[in-house]
């Protein structure tokens, strides 16, 4: 009987440990309220569809923003976003991760730059590692991101960081060992809608038209899968995490083709080729994909 009770106790401990690990690793937000908090102007963020989606509002009085309640170290973050429609010049809708550590911060940015009606929407990405940023790249989206929801994702593991638009990788930053790479600081998930007409559209030439306000962006299907901090200390170094698997350590052949297609046909700015800023390309630009 003692042996049976001991075995039952071991089974209980095993399943309890597994359940705690899964809770720590797979934090999939079901509603906005459960996993996010308003960081700026709660009167301009409206829950819809029972909290499964939200509307962000920008008007003359204020923009707005929200953030995850927890930070994460490695994993994947994605959201479905429908951007500001029509004449959105001067507006910026941002979706990013940030370590909130000031001078040594790590940060991964999607910034969607508004446009004049009929012009393509531009997405600017940037990467800060150990406080060093200035790694801007810009891509014109090949669809109307205000007509419907599209999925924007960040994959972050020990091997590389990949920015995805739907299933298309638009940017890769390799952990080559030659440049700073975010490995130790957990990051929160953030989003904002704000006015930046001094730089956002055609370098600030196109100003926001407040007669078109209010401006709206919509979010839904919040999905965070990563090592929550605080949480088990060994989570971030666990090679069994799905995002560390072999097929996530580099782009697949199909993803590589999609990546090259975007770079050839839709990239409009790359700091790696800007000789006025970098006469010698930074080392990460030589790392490939």
């Amino acid at each position: 009987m003692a042996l049976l009770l001991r075995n039952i106790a071991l089974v209980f401990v095993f399943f309890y440990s597994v359940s705690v690990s899964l809770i720590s690793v797979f934090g999939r937000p079901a509603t906005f309220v459960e996993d996010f908090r308003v960081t700026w102007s709660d009167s301009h963020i409206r829950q819809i569809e029972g909290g499964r989606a939200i509307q962000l509002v920008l008007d003359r009085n204020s923009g707005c923003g929200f953030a995850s309640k927890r930070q994460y170290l490695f994993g994947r973050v994605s959201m479905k976003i429908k951007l500001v429609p029509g004449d959105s010049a001067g507006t910026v809708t941002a979706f990013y991760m940030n370590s909130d550590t000031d001078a040594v911060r790590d940060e991964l940015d999607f910034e969607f730059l508004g446009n004049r009606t009929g012009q393509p929407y531009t997405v600017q990405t940037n990467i800060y590692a150990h406080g060093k940023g200035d790694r801007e790249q810009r891509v014109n989206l090949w669809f109307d991101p205000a007509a419907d929801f599209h999925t924007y994702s960040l994959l972050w593991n020990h091997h590389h960081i990949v920015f995805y638009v739907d299933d298309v990788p638009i940017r890769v930053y390799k952990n080559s060992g030659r440049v700073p790479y975010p490995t130790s600081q957990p990051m929160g998930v953030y989003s904002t809608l704000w006015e930046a007409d001094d730089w956002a559209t055609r370098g600030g030439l196109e100003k926001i038209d407040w007669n078109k306000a209010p401006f709206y962006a919509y979010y839904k299907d919040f999905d965070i899968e990563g090592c929550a901090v605080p949480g088990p200390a060994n989570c971030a170094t666990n090679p069994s995490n799905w995002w560390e698997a072999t097929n996530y350590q580099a782009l697949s052949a199909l993803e590589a083709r999609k990546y090259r297609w975007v770079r050839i046909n839709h990239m409009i700015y790359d700091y790696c080729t800007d000789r006025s800023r970098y006469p010698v390309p930074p080392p990460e630009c030589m790392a490939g994909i």
Side-chain angles (χ1 to χ4, degrees):
M1 177 61 73
L3 180 60
L4 176 62
L5 291 174
R6 178 175 176 275
N7 288 339
I8 291 173
L10 288 173
V11 169
F12 172 79
V13 170
F14 171 77
F15 280 105
Y16 175 79
S17 300
V18 169
S19 66
V20 169
S21 175
L22 287 174
I23 290 171
S24 300
V25 173
F26 301 112
R28 293 194 175 202
T31 67
F32 177 78
V33 172
E34 284 182 69
D35 290 87
F36 292 93
R37 58 187 173 84
V38 175
T39 57
W40 173 29
S41 190
D42 56 2
S43 64
H44 285 60
I45 296 183
R46 301 165 183 167
Q47 294 185 54
I48 55 180
E49 298 180 14
R52 292 185 300 274
I54 57 170
Q55 178 193 65
L56 272 62
V57 182
L58 167 65
D59 58 24
R60 290 179 182 269
N61 297 315
S62 182
C64 56
F66 65 89
S68 60
K69 293 179 179 177
R70 305 182 76 177
Q71 292 184 312
Y72 300 86
L73 188 57
F74 300 111
R76 183 184 66 186
V77 178
S78 68
M79 295 183 187
K80 289 185 178 178
I81 306 174
K82 185 162 66 171
L83 296 174
V84 177
D87 187 343
S88 57
T91 70
V92 175
T93 306
F95 161 42
Y96 60 103
M97 299 186 72
N98 190 312
S99 63
D100 197 24
T101 47
D102 296 327
V104 293
R105 81 182 188 272
D106 295 330
E107 184 171 315
L108 313 174
D109 294 337
F110 275 109
E111 292 180 311
F112 303 94
L113 311 182
N115 63 349
R116 285 268 99 97
T117 303
Q119 297 174 345
Y121 237 106
T122 299
V123 56
Q124 174 171 284
T125 60
N126 201 356
I127 295 170
Y128 283 79
H130 302 183
K132 173 65 173 68
D134 298 326
R135 297 184 173 98
E136 301 92 347
Q137 295 181 352
R138 292 186 179 187
V139 168
N140 280 342
L141 293 174
W142 51 95
F143 54 86
D144 182 357
D148 203 352
F149 285 94
H150 289 266
T151 303
Y152 304 94
S153 308
L154 292 164
L155 173 71
W156 170 32
N157 60 31
H158 283 83
H159 304 276
H160 61 184
I161 295 163
V162 186
F163 292 70
Y164 286 92
V165 174
D166 293 324
D167 62 348
V168 178
I170 66 167
R171 182 167 190 173
V172 177
Y173 184 81
K174 301 288 286 186
N175 185 6
S176 64
R178 300 175 58 202
V179 294
Y181 188 87
T183 57
S184 59
Q185 297 189 112
M187 291 191 268
V189 182
Y190 296 83
S191 189
T192 54
L193 174 59
W194 52 296
E195 175 265 319
D197 71 359
D198 58 329
W199 66 271
T201 306
R202 295 184 59 217
L205 294 177
E206 303 279 5
K207 301 300 184 181
I208 196 167
D209 183 355
W210 288 113
N211 292 319
K212 301 293 196 309
F215 303 98
Y216 301 108
Y218 296 86
Y219 292 68
K220 68 177 184 178
D221 294 355
F222 313 102
D223 189 356
I224 302 176
E225 300 177 67
C227 293
V229 178
N234 64 345
C235 177
T237 57
N238 186 350
S240 298
N241 292 328
W242 69 259
W243 53 85
E244 300 289 355
T246 302
N247 55 324
Y248 293 100
Q249 294 178 13
L251 298 186
S252 68
L254 177 59
E255 287 180 327
R257 287 197 295 272
K258 292 179 178 179
Y259 173 84
R260 286 191 291 269
W261 174 79
V262 168
R263 311 285 285 191
I264 292 170
N265 295 289
H266 298 284
M267 173 162 278
I268 60 171
Y269 177 79
D270 183 1
Y271 76 105
C272 288
T273 59
D274 189 341
R275 295 294 173 264
S276 66
R277 293 177 64 191
Y278 299 100
V280 177
E284 66 268 19
C285 299
M286 305 292 106
I289 59 171

